[in-house]
Amino acid sequence: MDEATTMTDLPAYYFRIRHTGAIVFRITTDNPDNRIDMDQIAVVNTRRGDYKAHGDRTLTTDDEQAISDWLNARTASRQTRARAQVDQLRETVNRTAQWAQTEAGDDDLDDVTDDLLMAMHDLRQVLVRKRAERLR
């Protein structure tokens, strides 16, 4: 920690991101050495949209509010990133079509054609099924 950062600049909580959510730590410095301690208080599951206290901990109202706020922000962020990935995929498919038409050699096309066709077929089936469900 540099001199410009003080203990009051630290957040009250730290969320260690995991594939399925996060591990929540409460940040404290109330020890004789003024050392930063990270005390695990909960585990968040973003797939289920819930959280559980760690061990025999009892979460405070502030803990629960911080976790809820983080969970809401994380969910919104993931949705935004997912949409950006779809937009990027569309661009990649367009560039791949251009590459196949203008640059790819026979060996290049032999290497990728089956895998690309199966991936596109899978995506097409999902999109057609979802559209049909929406139209019902």
Side-chain angles (χ1 to χ4, degrees):
M1 182 176 308
D2 63 17
E3 291 178 27
T5 304
T6 65
M7 295 301 176
T8 58
D9 293 331
L10 294 173
Y13 301 93
Y14 174 73
F15 294 80
R16 181 191 297 156
I17 307 296
R18 314 183 322 165
H19 180 67
T20 59
I23 298 172
V24 185
F25 297 89
R26 186 181 301 121
I27 307 300
T28 59
T29 57
D30 56 357
N31 56 65
D33 299 328
N34 231 11
R35 183 180 69 239
I36 299 171
D37 287 329
M38 295 173 56
D39 186 25
Q40 184 177 347
I41 61 168
V43 175
V44 180
N45 185 311
T46 52
R47 288 184 185 159
R48 291 192 311 257
D50 65 3
Y51 56 90
K52 294 180 183 174
H54 176 68
D56 60 355
R57 301 238 181 248
T58 301
L59 300 175
T60 67
T61 303
D62 288 344
D63 295 340
E64 291 181 346
Q65 185 63 53
I67 293 168
S68 179
D69 290 348
W70 180 88
L71 185 55
N72 290 335
R74 182 70 175 172
T75 300
S77 173
R78 288 177 65 162
Q79 290 169 346
T80 299
R81 279 196 312 268
R83 178 53 200 248
Q85 288 174 335
V86 169
D87 292 342
Q88 181 65 41
L89 174 62
R90 183 178 22 74
E91 290 180 26
T92 300
V93 168
N94 286 323
R95 286 193 306 272
T96 302
Q98 183 64 22
W99 168 81
Q101 175 125 16
T102 62
E103 298 175 35
D106 290 344
D107 290 341
D108 294 325
L109 293 172
D110 285 342
D111 289 344
V112 301
T113 296
D114 290 341
D115 289 339
L116 286 174
L117 287 173
M118 290 304 296
M120 290 186 303
H121 179 70
D122 181 34
L123 177 60
R124 184 180 186 282
Q125 281 186 317
V126 169
L127 293 174
V128 168
R129 183 180 70 246
K130 291 295 217 173
R131 175 171 279 174
E133 289 170 2
R134 286 192 314 272
L135 292 175
R136 284 189 198 135

